[in-house]
Amino acid sequence: MRAAIYTRVSSNMQAEDGFSLEAQHDILMELLERKGLELYRVYSDPGVSGKTFKRPGVQAMIADMKAGRFEALLIHKLDRLSRNLGDLYAFVELINKLDVRLIIAAQGTEEIDTRSPMGKAFLFFSGIWAQIYLENLREETLKGLTKKAQKGGKHMSRPPLGYTFDDRYNLVVVEEEAKLVREVFDLYLNRGWGVTKIAKYMNEFSTTKEGGKWDNKSVRNVLTNPTYAGYNHFKPAHWPEESRILTEGQHVPLVSKEDFERVKQFRSRRAAGYMSRRSFIYAYSGIVKCGQCGATYAGNTSVHNGREYRSYRCLNQYAKKTCDAPSISERMLNQLVFDHLQLIDDGFQSKKSKKRNTQTDIQKEVEKSNRRRKNWMLALGDGKLSAEDYAMLIEEEDARMRALYEQIQDRPEPSIPVEELRKMMKSLKEDWDLIEPETQKQLIQSMFQKIVILKGKDGWEITDLLTV
């Protein structure tokens, strides 16, 4: 087995505790022979402090150890490696990971060899303390970074696209790059393009900050970076996005806070299925849902006499044949939405249907749930229901009631007054054919989150409609 020797003495005491470099070397060479090991190399840091691992000898030793050039390491005492507790614990963790044999000639009064039972115990407990130390260090570091962020401090190792650092580490706008950032926001917000289409387009005339190709990730990084809206921000990887710390920065923003918030809304709606994820030209893509099966209505184009006609069809109907809901033309859909808006009041309640009283509906469901629970309890007492089945039914009932409450609580409140929606839809209906398809889509998807349609005996109707 090949072995390395490491020795060190500090700068202020060349023969600390009576053990000079020569004394350490002699002791370790004797130990090497006694263990029957083959010497690979002697690493040494003469007259260097042991405060950190930033020493040429120890760095060379670690590099060779990682490269697998030796399988055992001999040192006189553990503090010869470092007097920094964090460095020592990290080194023990590395020894464990690389499965390198560590032999310490004088650790207390006993020799430590990690191939012996005592040595293995030493490594085991050292590893535990290393983990505790490192976790505590990370926690304390995070506290400091969080406090700095809360006070408006900036956490940034390099400037993002659109900026550079001045000599005081302040962000300064690079106008040529800033144009690219504004272009990405404009394509996403005003043209309705998805990240894939934006990336392909941007690659035609530009590169990322590092000079690489644009891809989905690089586009998303631009769209979600609060720096562009004028914020300083901080969020460790394990924090949820809603916990991100935002403070007002001193740099010049590249986009308005309103546009940045609109991007967040659009991304949230796409993730929830309330907005099209793709860059197709269909205005209602991702919004219209089937009232029979719940599937999304997808856009479709047909050509008659040289003219294109857009329509929508249930995905389950044409792809899986599990639904018989008919298709609907885009013109009919526009009329349906317009007529529906004329029939609802400012509370978005249809005058054709009964007014839904949320509290009453919840109370009814609670009463039904209580009756079911009582019947299950009686069945359990009579021996007609096993304890396992009873527990399963109760668990399912609890989940059902939680889902009911969440569904009601999560239903978003409309932000656009119904009268304004009526005016917008009337204008769209009259000038629909004159508007570019991409603009049609942007307008519709900026007004509605979900439209559920169903064709009954009396024709098409909207059974549910959610606005932005």
Side-chain angles (χ1 to χ4, degrees):
M1 178 180 286
R2 293 171 302 173
I5 287 176
Y6 177 79
T7 61
R8 179 187 68 82
V9 292
S10 63
S11 55
N12 63 343
M13 189 176 293
Q14 291 299 310
E16 191 173 352
D17 295 331
F19 290 103
S20 64
L21 285 178
E22 291 78 10
Q24 292 178 44
H25 179 272
D26 291 344
I27 290 171
L28 295 175
M29 285 300 295
E30 181 184 346
L31 183 59
L32 184 85
E33 292 179 11
R34 183 153 46 89
K35 294 285 185 178
L37 301 173
E38 176 189 348
L39 179 64
Y40 168 71
R41 181 177 170 184
V42 176
Y43 303 89
S44 183
D45 283 310
V48 181
S49 171
K51 289 182 178 180
T52 72
F53 266 9
K54 295 180 179 179
R55 308 190 303 273
V58 80
Q59 288 297 319
M61 180 265 290
I62 290 175
D64 286 346
M65 184 171 67
K66 288 181 177 178
R69 295 189 174 99
F70 58 87
E71 295 81 37
L73 174 66
L74 282 68
I75 57 176
H76 178 243
K77 292 174 65 176
L78 199 55
D79 63 6
R80 295 303 85 205
L81 286 171
S82 177
R83 291 190 181 277
N84 183 294
L85 195 59
D87 284 344
L88 285 177
Y89 285 153
F91 185 77
V92 168
E93 193 172 44
L94 180 63
I95 286 285
N96 275 317
K97 181 180 178 182
L98 299 177
D99 194 26
V100 171
R101 181 180 180 182
L102 178 63
I103 304 174
I104 308 172
Q107 188 64 24
T109 59
E110 298 288 336
E111 172 190 303
I112 296 294
D113 185 337
T114 56
R115 286 294 186 268
S116 69
M118 183 62 71
K120 290 179 181 177
F122 168 79
L123 272 190
F124 176 75
F125 286 110
S126 295
I128 292 175
W129 285 112
Q131 187 65 29
I132 293 173
Y133 175 86
L134 293 173
E135 287 180 0
N136 183 67
L137 181 63
R138 282 192 289 266
E139 185 177 337
E140 292 303 314
T141 302
L142 181 57
K143 285 180 182 178
L145 294 175
T146 300
K147 185 172 290 187
K148 177 184 175 183
Q150 290 170 339
K151 291 181 178 180
K154 191 163 64 260
H155 289 285
M156 191 179 295
S157 59
R158 57 183 179 178
L161 181 71
Y163 294 100
T164 188
F165 286 141
D166 64 12
D167 55 2
R168 294 187 177 182
Y169 196 58
N170 296 313
L171 287 174
V172 179
V173 175
V174 179
E175 192 53 44
E176 288 302 312
E177 294 180 5
K179 290 178 182 178
L180 302 179
V181 173
R182 298 188 189 105
E183 181 81 0
V184 169
F185 274 86
D186 179 67
L187 294 172
Y188 188 83
L189 287 173
N190 301 320
R191 301 287 294 277
W193 288 12
V195 293
T196 301
K197 187 173 182 179
I198 293 174
K200 290 180 179 178
Y201 173 75
M202 297 298 290
N203 278 326
E204 294 177 3
F205 60 91
S206 67
T207 65
T208 63
K209 182 79 171 181
E210 296 75 22
K213 291 287 187 180
W214 289 86
D215 56 19
N216 292 4
K217 183 179 179 181
S218 56
V219 173
R220 278 195 293 269
N221 287 344
V222 169
L223 293 171
T224 59
N225 190 341
T227 301
Y228 295 129
Y231 294 111
N232 290 334
H233 59 100
F234 175 68
K235 187 191 82 67
H238 64 281
W239 282 13
E241 180 58 37
E242 56 268 22
S243 297
R244 183 183 293 275
I245 298 173
L246 292 177
T247 57
E248 198 67 35
Q250 300 301 312
H251 59 281
V252 177
L254 301 187
V255 299
S256 68
K257 288 181 172 59
E258 292 74 19
D259 281 350
F260 187 73
E261 287 301 314
R262 284 176 62 205
V263 168
K264 287 172 63 176
Q265 291 176 4
F266 282 13
R267 285 176 54 80
S268 176
R269 288 169 57 196
R270 282 193 171 102
Y274 291 142
M275 192 172 182
S276 172
R277 291 174 176 265
R278 301 181 181 180
S279 55
F280 296 147
I281 60 175
Y282 303 107
Y284 291 94
S285 180
I287 293 177
V288 180
K289 310 292 180 182
C290 177
Q292 285 187 213
C293 68
T296 300
Y297 264 72
N300 181 54
T301 299
S302 57
V303 179
H304 297 287
N305 298 324
R307 184 176 178 181
E308 290 188 350
Y309 294 89
R310 290 194 291 271
S311 62
Y312 299 83
R313 53 189 182 179
C314 171
L315 280 170
N316 282 342
Q317 188 276 326
Y318 85 89
K320 300 179 181 179
K321 305 300 181 183
T322 57
C323 180
D324 60 358
S327 301
I328 184 172
S329 69
E330 191 169 89
R331 189 174 296 276
M332 171 64 74
L333 192 52
N334 285 334
Q335 184 66 48
L336 191 64
V337 172
F338 180 73
D339 290 345
H340 185 80
L341 290 175
Q342 300 304 308
L343 295 170
I344 59 177
D345 58 26
D346 288 333
F348 290 89
Q349 177 58 51
S350 173
K351 294 182 179 179
K352 294 172 67 178
S353 59
K354 292 183 179 181
K355 188 174 182 179
R356 179 178 177 84
N357 187 316
T358 303
Q359 293 299 326
T360 302
D361 289 343
I362 291 178
Q363 186 59 40
K364 287 180 180 179
E365 289 300 321
V366 169
E367 291 173 358
K368 291 179 183 177
S369 179
N370 288 338
R371 285 196 296 270
R372 280 192 287 267
R373 293 169 193 268
K374 184 178 180 180
N375 290 335
W376 294 334
M377 189 179 296
L378 291 173
L380 177 65
D382 292 339
K384 297 178 180 178
L385 191 65
S386 69
E388 291 79 7
D389 289 341
Y390 175 78
M392 183 182 67
L393 289 170
I394 291 296
E395 187 176 330
E396 291 175 351
E397 186 65 15
D398 287 342
R400 193 182 72 81
M401 294 303 296
R402 282 196 301 271
L404 175 65
Y405 281 109
E406 289 172 1
Q407 181 181 359
I408 293 168
Q409 291 171 357
D410 290 345
R411 188 178 178 91
E413 292 294 326
S415 59
I416 304 178
V418 67
E419 191 55 42
E420 184 177 338
L421 272 176
R422 289 190 183 114
K423 291 179 181 178
M424 293 170 70
M425 279 304 298
K426 183 178 181 181
S427 175
L428 285 178
K429 179 171 173 287
E430 293 173 351
D431 303 322
W432 189 254
D433 293 334
L434 303 177
I435 302 173
E436 290 295 322
E438 288 183 345
T439 305
Q440 292 174 352
K441 178 176 180 178
Q442 184 65 21
L443 289 168
I444 292 296
Q445 303 220 352
S446 67
M447 291 189 290
F448 303 105
Q449 292 191 42
K450 181 172 72 170
I451 301 172
V452 182
I453 61 174
L454 181 67
K455 188 170 186 180
K457 293 180 179 179
D458 298 327
W460 286 103
E461 65 172 329
I462 291 177
T463 60
D464 192 17
L465 182 146
L466 289 179
T467 63
V468 173

